[in-house]
Protein backbone atom coordinates (compact mmCIF):
# COMPACT_ATOMS: atom_id res chain seq x y z
CA UNK A 1 0.00 0.00 0.00
CA UNK A 2 2.77 2.43 0.89
CA UNK A 3 4.64 1.53 -2.30
CA UNK A 4 1.51 2.29 -4.35
CA UNK A 5 1.03 5.66 -2.63
CA UNK A 6 4.67 6.57 -3.18
CA UNK A 7 4.33 5.57 -6.83
CA UNK A 8 1.27 7.83 -7.19
CA UNK A 9 3.26 10.68 -5.65
CA UNK A 10 6.04 10.15 -8.20
CA UNK A 11 3.53 10.11 -11.06
CA UNK A 12 1.96 13.35 -9.81
CA UNK A 13 5.36 15.05 -9.76
CA UNK A 14 6.44 13.74 -13.11
CA UNK A 15 9.03 11.33 -11.70
CA UNK A 16 7.34 8.17 -13.00
CA UNK A 17 5.11 7.42 -15.98
CA UNK A 18 1.60 6.34 -15.10
CA UNK A 19 1.81 3.26 -17.31
CA UNK A 20 4.93 2.20 -15.43
CA UNK A 21 3.14 2.60 -12.13
CA UNK A 22 0.25 0.43 -13.32
CA UNK A 23 2.70 -2.20 -14.54
CA UNK A 24 4.48 -2.23 -11.18
CA UNK A 25 1.48 -2.17 -8.86
CA UNK A 26 -1.14 -3.83 -11.04
CA UNK A 27 -3.66 -1.15 -9.99
CA UNK A 28 -6.27 -0.89 -12.77
CA UNK A 29 -7.90 2.40 -11.89
CA UNK A 30 -8.53 4.84 -9.07
CA UNK A 31 -11.82 3.32 -7.93
CA UNK A 32 -10.35 -0.17 -7.76
CA UNK A 33 -7.27 1.21 -5.98
CA UNK A 34 -9.46 2.84 -3.34
CA UNK A 35 -11.33 -0.42 -2.89
CA UNK A 36 -8.03 -2.27 -2.64
CA UNK A 37 -6.83 0.14 0.03
CA UNK A 38 -10.00 -0.43 2.05
CA UNK A 39 -9.47 -4.15 1.67
CA UNK A 40 -5.88 -3.82 2.85
CA UNK A 41 -6.95 -1.89 5.95
CA UNK A 42 -9.58 -4.54 6.68
CA UNK A 43 -7.00 -7.30 6.36
CA UNK A 44 -4.57 -5.39 8.59
CA UNK A 45 -7.30 -5.03 11.22
CA UNK A 46 -7.99 -8.75 10.96
CA UNK A 47 -4.31 -9.57 11.32
CA UNK A 48 -4.10 -7.30 14.37
CA UNK A 49 -7.02 -9.09 16.01
CA UNK A 50 -5.51 -12.46 15.18
CA UNK A 51 -2.14 -11.40 16.59
CA UNK A 52 -3.74 -10.21 19.82
CA UNK A 53 -5.65 -13.47 20.13
CA UNK A 54 -2.49 -15.49 19.53
CA UNK A 55 -0.43 -13.40 21.93
CA UNK A 56 -3.04 -13.93 24.62
CA UNK A 57 -3.36 -17.64 23.92
CA UNK A 58 -3.03 -19.82 26.97
CA UNK A 59 -1.55 -22.73 24.99
CA UNK A 60 2.12 -21.95 24.39
CA UNK A 61 2.41 -18.16 24.30
CA UNK A 62 3.11 -17.69 28.03
CA UNK A 63 6.24 -19.82 27.64
CA UNK A 64 7.14 -18.03 24.39
CA UNK A 65 6.74 -14.64 26.06
CA UNK A 66 9.17 -15.66 28.80
CA UNK A 67 11.72 -16.76 26.23
CA UNK A 68 11.28 -13.56 24.24
CA UNK A 69 11.73 -11.44 27.36
CA UNK A 70 15.03 -13.16 28.14
CA UNK A 71 16.08 -12.92 24.52
CA UNK A 72 15.29 -9.21 24.31
CA UNK A 73 17.70 -8.42 27.16
CA UNK A 74 20.61 -10.16 25.46
CA UNK A 75 19.70 -8.84 21.99
CA UNK A 76 19.50 -5.29 23.34
CA UNK A 77 22.92 -5.65 24.95
CA UNK A 78 24.53 -6.79 21.68
CA UNK A 79 22.79 -4.28 19.42
CA UNK A 80 23.46 -1.39 21.77
CA UNK A 81 27.20 -2.04 21.53
CA UNK A 82 27.09 -2.50 17.76
CA UNK A 83 25.23 0.80 17.41
CA UNK A 84 28.12 2.79 18.89
CA UNK A 85 30.92 0.51 17.69
CA UNK A 86 32.55 3.22 15.57
CA UNK A 87 32.56 5.70 18.46
CA UNK A 88 34.00 3.13 20.85
CA UNK A 89 36.88 2.21 18.54
CA UNK A 90 37.62 5.83 17.69
CA UNK A 91 37.77 7.01 21.30
CA UNK A 92 39.31 3.94 22.97
CA UNK A 93 41.69 2.75 20.26
CA UNK A 94 42.11 5.77 18.01
CA UNK A 95 40.94 3.84 14.94
CA UNK A 96 40.08 5.70 11.76
CA UNK A 97 37.20 4.82 9.45
CA UNK A 98 39.21 2.15 7.61
CA UNK A 99 40.33 0.40 10.79
CA UNK A 100 36.81 0.55 12.18
CA UNK A 101 35.48 -1.03 8.99
CA UNK A 102 38.03 -3.79 9.24
CA UNK A 103 37.02 -4.39 12.85
CA UNK A 104 33.37 -4.66 11.85
CA UNK A 105 34.33 -7.02 9.01
CA UNK A 106 36.28 -9.12 11.53
CA UNK A 107 33.22 -9.35 13.75
CA UNK A 108 31.00 -10.32 10.81
CA UNK A 109 33.50 -12.92 9.59
CA UNK A 110 33.59 -14.47 13.06
CA UNK A 111 29.81 -14.71 13.13
CA UNK A 112 29.80 -16.41 9.74
CA UNK A 113 32.57 -18.78 10.86
CA UNK A 114 30.64 -19.73 13.98
CA UNK A 115 27.43 -20.29 11.99
CA UNK A 116 29.11 -22.35 9.26
CA UNK A 117 31.71 -24.28 11.25
CA UNK A 118 31.34 -24.12 15.04
CA UNK A 119 27.59 -24.69 15.34
CA UNK A 120 27.48 -27.58 12.82
CA UNK A 121 30.40 -29.20 14.67
CA UNK A 122 28.53 -28.91 17.96
CA UNK A 123 25.42 -30.40 16.39
CA UNK A 124 27.35 -33.25 14.79
CA UNK A 125 28.87 -34.12 18.16
CA UNK A 126 25.37 -33.92 19.69
CA UNK A 127 26.47 -31.14 21.99
CA UNK A 128 23.55 -29.02 20.77
CA UNK A 129 20.44 -31.19 20.83
CA UNK A 130 16.88 -30.69 21.96
CA UNK A 131 17.91 -31.56 25.49
CA UNK A 132 20.83 -29.13 25.59
CA UNK A 133 19.31 -26.01 24.03
CA UNK A 134 18.80 -24.35 27.41
CA UNK A 135 22.42 -24.93 28.42
CA UNK A 136 23.62 -23.65 25.04
CA UNK A 137 21.52 -20.48 25.34
CA UNK A 138 22.80 -19.86 28.86
CA UNK A 139 26.37 -20.42 27.69
CA UNK A 140 25.86 -18.00 24.81
CA UNK A 141 24.42 -15.31 27.09
CA UNK A 142 27.33 -15.70 29.52
CA UNK A 143 29.81 -15.41 26.62
CA UNK A 144 28.04 -12.25 25.44
CA UNK A 145 28.29 -10.74 28.91
CA UNK A 146 31.97 -11.71 29.24
CA UNK A 147 32.73 -10.36 25.77
CA UNK A 148 31.14 -7.01 26.57
CA UNK A 149 33.08 -6.80 29.82
CA UNK A 150 36.28 -7.47 27.88
CA UNK A 151 35.40 -4.76 25.35
CA UNK A 152 34.69 -2.21 28.06
CA UNK A 153 38.05 -2.74 29.77
CA UNK A 154 40.17 -3.27 26.64
CA UNK A 155 42.70 -0.53 25.92
CA UNK A 156 44.74 -2.28 23.22
CA UNK A 157 43.60 -3.82 19.90
CA UNK A 158 44.48 -7.46 20.79
CA UNK A 159 42.37 -7.42 23.94
CA UNK A 160 39.57 -5.63 22.10
CA UNK A 161 39.57 -8.22 19.29
CA UNK A 162 39.49 -11.07 21.81
CA UNK A 163 36.44 -9.52 23.43
CA UNK A 164 34.89 -9.09 19.99
CA UNK A 165 35.50 -12.74 19.18
CA UNK A 166 33.90 -13.84 22.45
CA UNK A 167 30.93 -11.57 21.76
CA UNK A 168 30.45 -12.99 18.25
CA UNK A 169 30.70 -16.58 19.52
CA UNK A 170 28.22 -15.99 22.32
CA UNK A 171 25.76 -14.16 20.07
CA UNK A 172 25.67 -16.92 17.47
CA UNK A 173 25.29 -19.73 20.01
CA UNK A 174 22.64 -17.83 21.95
CA UNK A 175 20.52 -16.95 18.91
CA UNK A 176 20.75 -20.44 17.44
CA UNK A 177 19.65 -22.08 20.69
CA UNK A 178 16.92 -19.53 21.34
CA UNK A 179 15.49 -19.90 17.83
CA UNK A 180 15.29 -23.66 18.26
CA UNK A 181 13.74 -23.40 21.72
CA UNK A 182 11.22 -20.74 20.76
CA UNK A 183 10.01 -22.43 17.58
CA UNK A 184 10.00 -25.77 19.38
CA UNK A 185 7.53 -24.35 21.90
CA UNK A 186 5.03 -23.32 19.21
CA UNK A 187 2.23 -25.52 18.00
CA UNK A 188 2.10 -26.13 14.26
CA UNK A 189 -0.80 -23.69 13.78
CA UNK A 190 1.04 -21.03 15.81
CA UNK A 191 4.46 -21.31 14.17
CA UNK A 192 3.97 -18.35 11.86
CA UNK A 193 2.77 -16.08 14.66
CA UNK A 194 5.62 -17.10 16.94
CA UNK A 195 8.14 -16.48 14.15
CA UNK A 196 6.64 -13.04 13.66
CA UNK A 197 6.87 -12.38 17.39
CA UNK A 198 10.58 -13.22 17.29
CA UNK A 199 11.11 -10.83 14.38
CA UNK A 200 9.10 -8.12 16.13
CA UNK A 201 11.19 -8.48 19.28
CA UNK A 202 14.39 -8.05 17.28
CA UNK A 203 12.92 -5.04 15.48
CA UNK A 204 12.07 -3.33 18.77
CA UNK A 205 15.60 -3.97 20.03
CA UNK A 206 17.05 -2.52 16.81
CA UNK A 207 15.07 0.68 17.36
CA UNK A 208 15.79 0.96 21.09
CA UNK A 209 19.49 0.03 21.00
CA UNK A 210 20.82 3.08 19.08
CA UNK A 211 18.69 5.42 21.18
CA UNK A 212 19.96 3.98 24.47
CA UNK A 213 23.55 3.62 23.26
CA UNK A 214 23.66 7.13 21.83
CA UNK A 215 22.20 8.60 25.02
CA UNK A 216 24.74 6.79 27.19
CA UNK A 217 27.53 7.89 24.86
CA UNK A 218 26.41 11.51 25.14
CA UNK A 219 25.66 11.55 28.86
CA UNK A 220 28.46 9.27 30.12
CA UNK A 221 31.37 7.71 28.20
CA UNK A 222 32.10 5.00 25.65
CA UNK A 223 32.49 2.29 28.29
CA UNK A 224 29.06 2.77 29.84
CA UNK A 225 27.07 1.10 27.06
CA UNK A 226 29.19 -2.09 26.94
CA UNK A 227 29.13 -2.36 30.73
CA UNK A 228 25.38 -1.86 30.83
CA UNK A 229 25.12 -4.39 28.02
CA UNK A 230 27.13 -6.88 30.06
CA UNK A 231 24.68 -6.42 32.91
CA UNK A 232 21.70 -6.84 30.57
CA UNK A 233 23.16 -10.03 29.09
CA UNK A 234 23.79 -11.42 32.57
CA UNK A 235 20.23 -10.48 33.56
CA UNK A 236 18.99 -12.20 30.41
CA UNK A 237 20.85 -15.37 31.38
CA UNK A 238 19.38 -15.28 34.90
CA UNK A 239 15.90 -14.60 33.54
CA UNK A 240 16.22 -17.47 31.09
CA UNK A 241 17.36 -19.82 33.85
CA UNK A 242 14.51 -18.73 36.12
CA UNK A 243 11.74 -18.53 33.51
CA UNK A 244 12.60 -21.46 31.23
CA UNK A 245 9.55 -23.67 30.52
CA UNK A 246 9.23 -26.86 32.50
CA UNK A 247 9.71 -29.13 29.49
CA UNK A 248 13.08 -27.56 28.73
CA UNK A 249 14.17 -28.01 32.32
CA UNK A 250 12.93 -31.59 32.19
CA UNK A 251 14.96 -32.29 29.07
CA UNK A 252 18.01 -30.69 30.65
CA UNK A 253 17.59 -32.79 33.78
CA UNK A 254 17.16 -35.98 31.77
CA UNK A 255 20.32 -35.23 29.77
CA UNK A 256 22.27 -34.47 32.94
CA UNK A 257 21.01 -37.68 34.52
CA UNK A 258 22.01 -39.68 31.45
CA UNK A 259 25.47 -38.11 31.47
CA UNK A 260 25.92 -38.88 35.18
CA UNK A 261 24.79 -42.48 34.63
CA UNK A 262 27.20 -42.91 31.71
CA UNK A 263 30.04 -41.49 33.82
CA UNK A 264 29.25 -43.90 36.65
CA UNK A 265 29.19 -46.87 34.24
CA UNK A 266 32.53 -45.81 32.78
CA UNK A 267 34.00 -45.52 36.26
CA UNK A 268 32.79 -49.01 37.16
CA UNK A 269 34.34 -50.42 33.99
CA UNK A 270 37.66 -48.81 34.82
CA UNK A 271 37.55 -50.24 38.35
Amino acid sequence: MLAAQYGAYKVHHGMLHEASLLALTGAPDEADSAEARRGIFARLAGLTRAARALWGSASTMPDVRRLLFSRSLVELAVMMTHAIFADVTRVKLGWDAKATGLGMAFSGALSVLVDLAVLPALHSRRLLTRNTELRAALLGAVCVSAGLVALSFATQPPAFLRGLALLALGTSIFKSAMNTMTMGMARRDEAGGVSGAVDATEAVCRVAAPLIGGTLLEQADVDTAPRLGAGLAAAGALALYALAPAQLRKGWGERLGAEEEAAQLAEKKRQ
Side-chain angles (χ1 to χ4, degrees):
M1 181 183 66
L2 293 176
Q5 291 180 348
Y6 180 57
Y9 170 84
K10 293 174 72 175
V11 170
H12 180 71
H13 288 81
M15 302 165 60
L16 182 67
H17 195 275
E18 186 173 3
S20 299
L21 174 63
L22 294 177
L24 291 172
T25 62
D29 54 43
E30 184 176 351
D32 288 345
S33 297
E35 183 66 27
R37 285 195 292 270
R38 286 194 293 270
I40 289 174
F41 280 118
R43 288 194 294 272
L44 287 175
L47 287 173
T48 301
R49 289 192 297 269
R52 292 178 60 184
L54 174 61
W55 192 252
S57 171
S59 57
T60 60
M61 289 309 295
D63 292 333
V64 171
R65 285 197 295 268
R66 297 186 188 100
L67 293 178
L68 291 180
F69 172 72
S70 305
R71 177 175 185 150
S72 65
L73 295 177
V74 181
E75 292 272 7
L76 184 61
V78 175
M79 294 179 184
M80 187 169 56
T81 303
H82 286 170
I84 61 170
F85 182 82
D87 300 285
V88 172
T89 55
R90 186 185 69 251
V91 174
K92 289 177 66 71
L93 305 176
W95 286 2
D96 57 10
K98 180 179 179 180
T100 299
L102 292 174
M104 296 177 69
F106 173 74
S107 176
L110 285 175
S111 298
V112 172
L113 178 63
V114 171
D115 291 339
L116 295 181
V118 177
L119 292 179
L122 293 177
H123 281 289
S124 65
R125 295 175 180 271
R126 303 187 62 82
L127 297 177
L128 283 181
T129 64
R130 186 171 181 82
N131 291 335
T132 61
E133 293 156 358
L134 179 58
R135 281 192 290 176
L138 291 172
L139 174 63
V142 171
C143 288
V144 167
S145 181
L148 291 174
V149 170
L151 290 179
S152 66
F153 286 99
T155 58
Q156 297 297 326
F160 188 85
L161 293 177
R162 285 193 294 269
L164 205 60
L166 190 58
L167 176 62
L169 176 65
T171 302
S172 295
I173 293 177
F174 177 80
K175 292 185 69 173
S176 176
M178 289 299 294
N179 286 338
T180 305
M181 280 195 298
T182 304
M183 296 310 300
M185 295 298 303
R187 298 184 322 199
R188 181 173 299 180
D189 60 326
E190 295 177 344
V194 171
S195 178
V198 173
D199 293 340
T201 301
E202 290 189 354
V204 171
C205 291
R206 287 193 190 97
V207 173
L211 297 176
I212 299 174
T215 301
L216 293 175
L217 187 65
E218 181 180 6
Q219 300 297 327
D221 55 38
V222 294
D223 292 327
T224 303
R227 290 172 184 172
L228 176 62
L232 287 175
L238 291 174
L240 179 60
Y241 180 78
L243 301 177
Q247 53 266 50
L248 295 177
R249 291 179 174 276
K250 181 180 179 181
W252 188 5
E254 290 175 352
R255 178 59 182 254
L256 289 177
E259 291 177 350
E260 291 177 357
E261 183 178 353
Q264 291 175 359
L265 290 175
E267 182 65 24
K268 289 181 179 178
K269 289 181 179 180
R270 285 194 297 268
Q271 291 176 355

